[in-house]
Amino acid sequence: MLTLWIFAFVGLAHAVPGAIRPVTTTTVQPPATIEELALDLDDSDRPTRLLAARELRRRARLAAKGGGRPGSIAELESRAELAALTRVALPACAAVLDEPGLAVPCADVLARLDEPGSCGPLRSARATAEPRVARAIDKALARLGPTCALEEP
């Protein structure tokens, strides 16, 4: 009898257009450009800031991983992405290292960029960081070890 009800429901659902609608998911899409993500780090909405920091971390991870053989299009695209991240995301992430929710992904972004300009902000944020954030900053500084050694006189 239960099977009959199931078949009747499925038949009715197909007979009536719009009877079964797909479940809608959240419509929030991550911003398309690195510049928009950097601007979202200064947004007043906390979830928007977290989304921007995590998306910058994801893009930095993919760009730092590189792509394929030397000279391939994928490698050239990852180099261009790293250059754009260095130009835009480095100052934006360095500015928000004092916020506990954004410090961990931004410290990871700064470490993956492997730029000497990221050592100073990480060191200054390390002095006042919570223990969890301090561990992430220490990990980033360890990853930047040789790069930070070049920065010091």
Side-chain angles (χ1 to χ4, degrees), residues 47-135:
T48 303
R49 290 194 315 261
L50 288 174
L51 177 67
R54 289 176 181 158
E55 181 67 14
L56 283 172
R57 175 199 260 177
R58 185 187 70 81
R59 289 189 182 194
R61 183 181 65 237
L62 291 174
K65 189 178 3 175
R69 301 182 312 243
S72 68
I73 293 177
E75 192 221 359
L76 294 175
E77 287 176 349
S78 67
R79 282 187 184 182
E81 185 88 359
L82 275 175
L85 283 166
T86 301
R87 182 177 42 84
V88 177
L90 191 139
C93 278
V96 296
L97 280 174
D98 57 342
E99 294 185 38
L102 303 177
V104 174
C106 280
D108 192 34
V109 168
L110 294 178
R112 289 181 189 276
L113 293 179
D114 201 24
E115 287 291 322
S118 59
C119 298
L122 284 170
R123 284 191 187 120
S124 63
R126 171 67 176 93
T128 60
E130 301 173 352
R132 181 181 68 88
V133 175
R135 282 192 302 271

Coordinates of all heavy atoms in Angstrom, one line a residue, residues 47-135:
P47 N 30.7 38.0 8.0 CA 30.7 36.8 7.1 C 31.3 37.2 5.7 O 32.0 36.4 5.1 CB 29.3 36.4 6.9 CG 28.6 36.9 8.2 CD 29.3 38.1 8.6
T48 N 31.1 38.4 5.3 CA 31.7 38.8 4.0 C 33.2 38.9 4.1 O 34.0 38.5 3.2 CB 31.1 40.2 3.6 OG1 29.7 40.1 3.5 CG2 31.7 40.6 2.2
R49 N 33.7 39.4 5.3 CA 35.1 39.5 5.5 C 35.8 38.1 5.5 O 36.8 37.9 5.0 CB 35.4 40.3 6.8 CG 35.2 41.7 6.7 CD 35.8 42.5 7.8 NE 35.6 41.9 9.1 CZ 34.6 42.2 10.0 NH1 33.8 43.2 9.7 NH2 34.5 41.7 11.2
L50 N 35.1 37.2 6.3 CA 35.6 35.8 6.4 C 35.7 35.1 5.0 O 36.6 34.4 4.7 CB 34.8 35.0 7.4 CG 34.9 35.4 8.8 CD1 34.0 34.6 9.7 CD2 36.4 35.1 9.3
L51 N 34.6 35.3 4.2 CA 34.5 34.7 2.9 C 35.7 35.3 2.0 O 36.4 34.5 1.3 CB 33.2 35.0 2.2 CG 33.0 34.5 0.8 CD1 33.1 33.0 0.8 CD2 31.8 35.0 0.2
A52 N 35.9 36.6 2.1 CA 37.0 37.2 1.3 C 38.4 36.6 1.7 O 39.2 36.3 0.9 CB 36.9 38.7 1.5
A53 N 38.6 36.5 3.0 CA 39.9 36.0 3.5 C 40.1 34.6 3.1 O 41.2 34.2 2.7 CB 40.0 36.2 5.0
R54 N 39.1 33.8 3.2 CA 39.2 32.4 2.8 C 39.4 32.2 1.3 O 40.1 31.3 0.9 CB 38.0 31.6 3.3 CG 38.0 31.4 4.8 CD 36.8 30.8 5.3 NE 36.8 30.7 6.8 CZ 35.8 30.5 7.6 NH1 34.6 30.4 7.0 NH2 35.9 30.4 8.9
E55 N 38.7 33.0 0.6 CA 38.8 32.9 -0.9 C 40.2 33.4 -1.3 O 40.8 32.8 -2.2 CB 37.7 33.8 -1.6 CG 37.8 33.8 -3.1 CD 37.4 32.4 -3.7 OE1 36.9 31.5 -3.0 OE2 37.7 32.3 -4.9
L56 N 40.8 34.4 -0.7 CA 42.1 34.9 -1.0 C 43.1 33.8 -0.6 O 44.1 33.5 -1.4 CB 42.5 36.1 -0.2 CG 41.9 37.4 -0.8 CD1 42.1 38.6 0.2 CD2 42.5 37.7 -2.2
R57 N 42.9 33.1 0.5 CA 43.7 32.0 0.9 C 43.7 30.8 -0.2 O 44.7 30.3 -0.6 CB 43.3 31.4 2.2 CG 44.1 30.2 2.6 CD 43.4 29.4 3.7 NE 44.0 29.7 5.0 CZ 43.5 29.2 6.1 NH1 42.5 28.4 6.1 NH2 44.1 29.5 7.2
R58 N 42.5 30.5 -0.7 CA 42.3 29.5 -1.7 C 43.0 29.9 -2.9 O 43.8 29.1 -3.5 CB 40.8 29.2 -1.9 CG 40.6 28.1 -2.9 CD 39.1 28.0 -3.2 NE 38.7 29.1 -4.1 CZ 38.9 29.1 -5.4 NH1 39.5 28.1 -6.0 NH2 38.5 30.1 -6.1
R59 N 42.9 31.1 -3.4 CA 43.5 31.5 -4.6 C 45.0 31.6 -4.5 O 45.8 31.2 -5.4 CB 43.0 32.9 -5.0 CG 41.6 32.8 -5.5 CD 41.1 34.1 -6.1 NE 39.8 34.0 -6.6 CZ 39.2 34.9 -7.3 NH1 39.9 35.9 -7.8 NH2 37.9 34.8 -7.7
A60 N 45.5 32.0 -3.3 CA 47.0 32.0 -3.1 C 47.5 30.6 -3.1 O 48.6 30.3 -3.6 CB 47.3 32.7 -1.8
R61 N 46.8 29.7 -2.5 CA 47.3 28.3 -2.4 C 47.3 27.7 -3.9 O 48.3 27.1 -4.2 CB 46.3 27.4 -1.6 CG 46.7 26.0 -1.4 CD 45.8 25.2 -0.6 NE 44.5 25.1 -1.3 CZ 43.3 25.5 -0.8 NH1 43.3 26.0 0.4 NH2 42.2 25.3 -1.4
L62 N 46.3 27.9 -4.7 CA 46.3 27.4 -6.0 C 47.4 28.1 -6.9 O 48.1 27.4 -7.7 CB 45.0 27.6 -6.7 CG 43.8 26.8 -6.1 CD1 42.5 27.2 -6.7 CD2 44.1 25.3 -6.3
A63 N 47.6 29.4 -6.7 CA 48.6 30.1 -7.5 C 50.0 29.7 -7.1 O 50.9 29.6 -7.9 CB 48.4 31.6 -7.3
A64 N 50.2 29.5 -5.8 CA 51.6 29.1 -5.3 C 51.9 27.7 -5.7 O 53.1 27.3 -5.9 CB 51.6 29.2 -3.8
K65 N 50.9 26.9 -5.9 CA 51.1 25.5 -6.3 C 51.6 25.5 -7.7 O 52.4 24.6 -8.1 CB 49.8 24.7 -6.2 CG 50.1 23.2 -6.4 CD 48.9 22.3 -6.3 CE 47.6 22.8 -6.0 NZ 46.5 21.8 -6.0
G66 N 51.3 26.5 -8.5 CA 51.7 26.5 -9.9 C 50.9 25.6 -10.7 O 50.0 24.9 -10.3
G67 N 51.2 25.6 -12.0 CA 50.5 24.8 -12.9 C 51.3 24.2 -14.0 O 51.8 24.8 -14.8
G68 N 51.5 22.9 -13.9 CA 52.1 22.2 -15.0 C 53.5 22.4 -15.3 O 54.3 22.9 -14.4
R69 N 53.9 22.2 -16.5 CA 55.3 22.3 -17.0 C 55.7 23.8 -17.0 O 54.9 24.7 -17.2 CB 55.4 21.8 -18.4 CG 55.0 20.3 -18.5 CD 55.2 19.8 -19.9 NE 54.6 20.8 -20.8 CZ 53.6 20.5 -21.7 NH1 53.1 19.3 -21.6 NH2 53.2 21.4 -22.5
P70 N 57.0 24.0 -16.9 CA 57.5 25.4 -17.1 C 57.2 25.9 -18.5 O 57.4 25.2 -19.4 CB 59.0 25.3 -16.8 CG 59.2 24.0 -16.0 CD 58.0 23.1 -16.5
G71 N 56.7 27.1 -18.5 CA 56.4 27.7 -19.8 C 55.0 27.4 -20.3 O 54.6 28.0 -21.3
S72 N 54.3 26.6 -19.6 CA 52.9 26.3 -20.0 C 52.0 27.5 -19.7 O 52.3 28.3 -18.9 CB 52.4 25.0 -19.3 OG 52.2 25.2 -18.0
I73 N 50.8 27.5 -20.3 CA 49.8 28.5 -20.0 C 49.4 28.5 -18.6 O 49.2 29.6 -18.0 CB 48.6 28.4 -21.0 CG1 49.1 28.7 -22.4 CG2 47.5 29.4 -20.6 CD1 48.1 28.5 -23.5
A74 N 49.2 27.3 -18.0 CA 48.8 27.2 -16.6 C 49.8 27.8 -15.7 O 49.5 28.5 -14.7 CB 48.5 25.8 -16.2
E75 N 51.1 27.6 -16.0 CA 52.1 28.2 -15.1 C 52.2 29.7 -15.3 O 52.3 30.5 -14.3 CB 53.5 27.6 -15.5 CG 54.5 28.0 -14.5 CD 55.9 28.3 -15.1 OE1 56.0 28.3 -16.3 OE2 56.8 28.7 -14.3
L76 N 52.0 30.2 -16.5 CA 52.0 31.7 -16.7 C 50.8 32.3 -16.0 O 50.9 33.4 -15.4 CB 51.9 32.0 -18.2 CG 53.2 31.6 -19.0 CD1 53.0 31.8 -20.4 CD2 54.4 32.3 -18.4
E77 N 49.6 31.6 -16.0 CA 48.4 32.1 -15.3 C 48.7 32.2 -13.8 O 48.2 33.1 -13.1 CB 47.2 31.3 -15.6 CG 46.7 31.5 -17.0 CD 45.5 30.6 -17.4 OE1 45.3 29.7 -16.6 OE2 44.9 30.9 -18.4
S78 N 49.3 31.1 -13.3 CA 49.6 31.1 -11.8 C 50.5 32.2 -11.4 O 50.4 32.8 -10.4 CB 50.0 29.7 -11.3 OG 51.3 29.4 -11.9
R79 N 51.5 32.5 -12.3 CA 52.5 33.6 -12.0 C 51.7 34.9 -12.0 O 52.0 35.8 -11.2 CB 53.6 33.6 -13.0 CG 54.6 32.6 -12.8 CD 55.8 32.8 -13.7 NE 56.8 31.8 -13.6 CZ 57.9 31.7 -14.3 NH1 58.1 32.7 -15.1 NH2 58.8 30.8 -14.1
A80 N 50.8 35.1 -13.0 CA 50.1 36.4 -13.0 C 49.2 36.5 -11.8 O 49.0 37.6 -11.3 CB 49.2 36.4 -14.3
E81 N 48.6 35.4 -11.4 CA 47.7 35.4 -10.2 C 48.6 35.8 -8.9 O 48.1 36.6 -8.1 CB 47.1 34.1 -10.0 CG 46.1 34.0 -8.9 CD 44.7 34.4 -9.3 OE1 44.4 34.8 -10.4 OE2 43.8 34.4 -8.4
L82 N 49.8 35.2 -8.8 CA 50.6 35.6 -7.7 C 51.0 37.0 -7.7 O 51.1 37.7 -6.7 CB 51.9 34.7 -7.7 CG 51.8 33.3 -7.1 CD1 53.1 32.5 -7.3 CD2 51.5 33.5 -5.6
A83 N 51.3 37.6 -8.9 CA 51.7 39.0 -9.0 C 50.5 39.9 -8.6 O 50.7 40.9 -7.9 CB 52.1 39.3 -10.4
A84 N 49.3 39.5 -9.0 CA 48.1 40.3 -8.6 C 47.9 40.2 -7.1 O 47.5 41.2 -6.5 CB 46.9 39.8 -9.4
L85 N 48.0 39.0 -6.6 CA 47.9 38.8 -5.1 C 48.9 39.6 -4.4 O 48.6 40.2 -3.3 CB 48.0 37.3 -4.8 CG 46.7 36.5 -5.1 CD1 47.1 35.0 -5.0 CD2 45.6 36.8 -4.1
T86 N 50.1 39.6 -4.9 CA 51.2 40.4 -4.2 C 50.9 41.9 -4.2 O 51.0 42.6 -3.2 CB 52.5 40.1 -4.9 OG1 52.8 38.7 -4.8 CG2 53.6 40.9 -4.2
R87 N 50.4 42.4 -5.4 CA 50.1 43.8 -5.5 C 48.9 44.2 -4.7 O 48.9 45.3 -4.1 CB 49.8 44.1 -7.0 CG 49.6 45.5 -7.3 CD 49.4 45.7 -8.8 NE 48.6 44.7 -9.5 CZ 47.3 44.7 -9.6 NH1 46.6 45.7 -9.0 NH2 46.6 43.8 -10.3
V88 N 47.8 43.4 -4.6 CA 46.6 43.8 -4.0 C 46.3 43.2 -2.6 O 46.0 43.9 -1.7 CB 45.4 43.5 -5.0 CG1 44.1 43.8 -4.3 CG2 45.5 44.2 -6.3
A89 N 46.6 41.9 -2.5 CA 46.2 41.2 -1.3 C 47.2 41.4 -0.2 O 46.9 41.3 1.0 CB 46.0 39.7 -1.5
L90 N 48.5 41.6 -0.5 CA 49.5 41.7 0.5 C 49.2 42.9 1.4 O 49.1 42.8 2.7 CB 50.9 41.8 -0.1 CG 52.0 41.7 0.9 CD1 53.1 40.9 0.3 CD2 52.6 43.1 1.2
P91 N 48.9 44.1 0.9 CA 48.6 45.2 1.8 C 47.3 45.0 2.5 O 47.2 45.4 3.7 CB 48.6 46.5 0.9 CG 48.9 46.0 -0.4 CD 49.1 44.6 -0.5
A92 N 46.3 44.5 1.9 CA 45.0 44.3 2.5 C 45.1 43.3 3.6 O 44.5 43.5 4.7 CB 44.0 43.9 1.4
C93 N 45.8 42.2 3.4 CA 45.9 41.2 4.5 C 46.8 41.7 5.6 O 46.5 41.3 6.8 CB 46.5 39.9 3.9 SG 45.2 38.8 3.1
A94 N 47.8 42.4 5.3 CA 48.7 43.0 6.3 C 47.9 43.9 7.2 O 48.2 44.0 8.4 CB 49.9 43.7 5.7
A95 N 46.9 44.6 6.7 CA 46.1 45.5 7.5 C 45.2 44.9 8.4 O 44.8 45.5 9.4 CB 45.4 46.5 6.5
V96 N 44.7 43.6 8.2 CA 43.7 43.0 9.0 C 44.3 41.9 9.9 O 43.6 41.1 10.4 CB 42.6 42.4 8.2 CG1 41.8 43.6 7.5 CG2 43.0 41.4 7.2
L97 N 45.6 41.8 10.1 CA 46.2 40.8 10.9 C 45.9 40.9 12.3 O 46.1 40.0 13.1 CB 47.8 40.8 10.7 CG 48.3 40.1 9.4 CD1 49.8 40.3 9.3 CD2 48.0 38.7 9.4
D98 N 45.4 42.0 12.8 CA 45.0 42.2 14.2 C 43.6 41.6 14.5 O 43.3 41.5 15.7 CB 45.1 43.6 14.6 CG 44.3 44.6 13.7 OD1 43.9 44.1 12.6 OD2 44.0 45.7 14.2
E99 N 42.8 41.3 13.5 CA 41.5 40.7 13.7 C 41.6 39.2 13.8 O 42.1 38.5 12.9 CB 40.6 41.1 12.6 CG 40.3 42.6 12.5 CD 39.2 42.9 11.5 OE1 38.3 42.1 11.3 OE2 39.4 43.9 10.8
P100 N 41.2 38.6 14.9 CA 41.4 37.2 15.2 C 40.8 36.3 14.1 O 41.4 35.3 13.7 CB 40.8 36.9 16.5 CG 40.8 38.2 17.2 CD 40.6 39.2 16.1
G101 N 39.6 36.6 13.6 CA 39.0 35.7 12.6 C 39.7 35.8 11.2 O 39.6 34.8 10.5
L102 N 40.3 36.9 10.9 CA 40.9 37.1 9.6 C 42.4 36.8 9.6 O 43.1 36.7 8.6 CB 40.7 38.5 9.1 CG 39.2 38.9 9.0 CD1 39.1 40.3 8.5 CD2 38.5 38.0 8.0
A103 N 43.0 36.8 10.8 CA 44.5 36.7 10.9 C 45.0 35.4 10.4 O 46.1 35.4 9.7 CB 44.9 36.9 12.4
V104 N 44.3 34.3 10.7 CA 44.9 33.0 10.3 C 44.9 32.8 8.8 O 45.9 32.5 8.2 CB 44.1 31.9 11.0 CG1 44.5 30.5 10.5 CG2 44.3 31.9 12.5
P105 N 43.8 33.1 8.1 CA 43.9 32.9 6.6 C 44.8 34.0 6.0 O 45.5 33.7 5.0 CB 42.4 33.1 6.1 CG 41.6 33.5 7.2 CD 42.4 33.3 8.5
C106 N 44.8 35.2 6.5 CA 45.6 36.2 5.9 C 47.1 35.9 6.2 O 48.0 36.2 5.3 CB 45.3 37.6 6.5 SG 43.8 38.3 5.6
A107 N 47.5 35.3 7.3 CA 48.8 34.9 7.6 C 49.3 33.9 6.6 O 50.4 33.9 6.1 CB 49.0 34.4 9.0
D108 N 48.3 33.0 6.3 CA 48.6 31.9 5.3 C 48.8 32.5 3.9 O 49.7 32.1 3.1 CB 47.5 30.9 5.3 CG 47.9 29.7 4.5 OD1 49.1 29.3 4.5 OD2 47.0 29.1 3.9
V109 N 48.0 33.5 3.6 CA 48.2 34.2 2.3 C 49.5 34.9 2.2 O 50.3 34.7 1.2 CB 47.1 35.3 2.1 CG1 47.4 36.2 0.9 CG2 45.7 34.6 1.8
L110 N 49.9 35.6 3.3 CA 51.2 36.3 3.3 C 52.4 35.3 3.2 O 53.4 35.6 2.5 CB 51.3 37.1 4.5 CG 50.4 38.3 4.6 CD1 50.6 39.1 5.9 CD2 50.5 39.3 3.4
A111 N 52.2 34.1 3.8 CA 53.3 33.1 3.7 C 53.4 32.5 2.3 O 54.5 32.3 1.8 CB 53.0 32.0 4.7
R112 N 52.3 32.3 1.7 CA 52.3 31.7 0.3 C 52.8 32.7 -0.7 O 53.3 32.3 -1.8 CB 50.9 31.2 0.0 CG 50.5 30.0 0.8 CD 49.2 29.5 0.4 NE 48.7 28.4 1.3 CZ 49.1 27.1 1.2 NH1 49.8 26.8 0.2 NH2 48.6 26.3 2.1
L113 N 52.6 34.0 -0.5 CA 53.1 35.0 -1.5 C 54.7 35.0 -1.5 O 55.3 35.4 -2.5 CB 52.6 36.4 -1.2 CG 51.1 36.5 -1.4 CD1 50.6 37.9 -1.0 CD2 50.7 36.2 -2.8
D114 N 55.3 34.7 -0.4 CA 56.7 34.6 -0.3 C 57.4 35.9 -0.7 O 58.4 35.9 -1.4 CB 57.2 33.4 -1.1 CG 58.6 32.9 -0.7 OD1 59.0 33.1 0.5 OD2 59.3 32.3 -1.6
E115 N 56.9 37.0 -0.1 CA 57.5 38.3 -0.3 C 58.1 38.8 0.9 O 57.6 38.7 2.0 CB 56.4 39.3 -0.8 CG 55.8 39.0 -2.1 CD 56.8 39.3 -3.2 OE1 57.6 40.3 -3.1 OE2 56.9 38.6 -4.2
P116 N 59.3 39.5 0.8 CA 59.9 40.1 2.0 C 59.1 41.1 2.7 O 59.2 41.3 3.9 CB 61.2 40.8 1.4 CG 61.4 40.1 0.1 CD 60.1 39.7 -0.4
G117 N 58.1 41.8 2.0 CA 57.3 42.8 2.6 C 56.3 42.3 3.6 O 55.6 43.0 4.3
S118 N 56.1 41.0 3.6 CA 55.1 40.4 4.5 C 55.7 40.0 5.8 O 54.9 39.7 6.8 CB 54.5 39.2 3.8 OG 55.4 38.2 3.5
C119 N 57.0 40.0 6.0 CA 57.6 39.6 7.3 C 57.4 40.7 8.4 O 57.1 40.3 9.5 CB 59.1 39.4 7.1 SG 59.5 38.1 5.9
G120 N 57.5 41.9 8.1 CA 57.3 43.0 9.1 C 55.9 43.0 9.7 O 55.8 43.0 10.9
P121 N 54.8 43.0 8.9 CA 53.5 42.9 9.4 C 53.2 41.7 10.3 O 52.6 41.7 11.3 CB 52.6 43.0 8.2 CG 53.4 43.6 7.2 CD 54.8 43.2 7.4
L122 N 53.8 40.5 9.8 CA 53.6 39.3 10.6 C 54.3 39.4 11.9 O 53.7 38.9 12.9 CB 54.1 38.1 9.8 CG 53.2 37.6 8.6 CD1 54.0 36.6 7.8 CD2 52.0 37.0 9.1
R123 N 55.5 39.9 11.9 CA 56.2 40.0 13.2 C 55.5 41.0 14.2 O 55.4 40.7 15.4 CB 57.6 40.5 13.0 CG 58.5 39.5 12.4 CD 60.0 39.9 12.4 NE 60.8 38.9 11.7 CZ 61.5 39.2 10.7 NH1 61.5 40.4 10.2 NH2 62.2 38.2 10.1
S124 N 55.0 42.1 13.7 CA 54.3 43.0 14.6 C 53.0 42.5 15.0 O 52.6 42.7 16.2 CB 54.1 44.4 13.9 OG 53.3 44.2 12.7
A125 N 52.3 41.7 14.2 CA 51.0 41.1 14.7 C 51.3 40.0 15.7 O 50.5 39.7 16.5 CB 50.3 40.6 13.5
R126 N 52.4 39.3 15.6 CA 52.8 38.2 16.5 C 52.9 38.7 17.9 O 52.6 38.0 18.9 CB 54.1 37.6 16.0 CG 54.7 36.6 16.9 CD 53.8 35.3 17.0 NE 54.4 34.3 17.8 CZ 54.2 34.1 19.1 NH1 53.4 35.0 19.8 NH2 54.7 33.1 19.8
A127 N 53.3 39.9 18.1 CA 53.6 40.4 19.5 C 52.3 40.5 20.3 O 52.3 40.3 21.5 CB 54.2 41.8 19.4
T128 N 51.1 40.8 19.6 CA 49.9 41.0 20.4 C 48.8 39.9 20.1 O 47.7 40.1 20.4 CB 49.3 42.3 20.1 OG1 49.0 42.4 18.7 CG2 50.2 43.5 20.5
A129 N 49.2 38.8 19.4 CA 48.3 37.8 18.9 C 47.9 36.8 20.0 O 48.6 36.6 21.0 CB 48.8 37.0 17.8
E130 N 46.6 36.3 19.9 CA 46.2 35.2 20.7 C 47.0 34.0 20.4 O 47.6 33.9 19.4 CB 44.7 34.9 20.4 CG 43.8 36.0 20.6 CD 42.3 35.7 20.1 OE1 42.2 34.6 19.5 OE2 41.4 36.5 20.4
P131 N 47.0 32.9 21.3 CA 47.8 31.8 21.1 C 47.5 31.0 19.8 O 48.4 30.6 19.1 CB 47.4 30.9 22.3 CG 47.0 31.8 23.3 CD 46.3 32.9 22.7
R132 N 46.2 30.9 19.4 CA 45.9 30.2 18.1 C 46.4 31.0 16.9 O 47.0 30.4 16.0 CB 44.4 30.0 18.0 CG 43.9 29.3 16.8 CD 42.4 29.2 16.7 NE 41.7 30.5 16.6 CZ 41.5 31.0 15.4 NH1 41.8 30.4 14.3 NH2 40.9 32.2 15.3
V133 N 46.2 32.3 17.0 CA 46.7 33.1 15.9 C 48.2 33.2 15.9 O 48.8 33.2 14.8 CB 46.1 34.6 16.0 CG1 46.6 35.5 15.0 CG2 44.5 34.5 15.9
A134 N 48.8 33.2 17.1 CA 50.3 33.2 17.2 C 50.9 32.0 16.5 O 51.9 32.1 15.9 CB 50.7 33.4 18.6
R135 N 50.2 30.8 16.7 CA 50.7 29.6 16.1 C 50.7 29.7 14.5 O 51.6 29.3 13.8 CB 49.9 28.4 16.5 CG 50.3 27.9 17.9 CD 49.7 26.6 18.2 NE 48.3 26.6 18.1 CZ 47.4 26.8 19.1 NH1 47.9 27.2 20.3 NH2 46.1 26.8 19.0

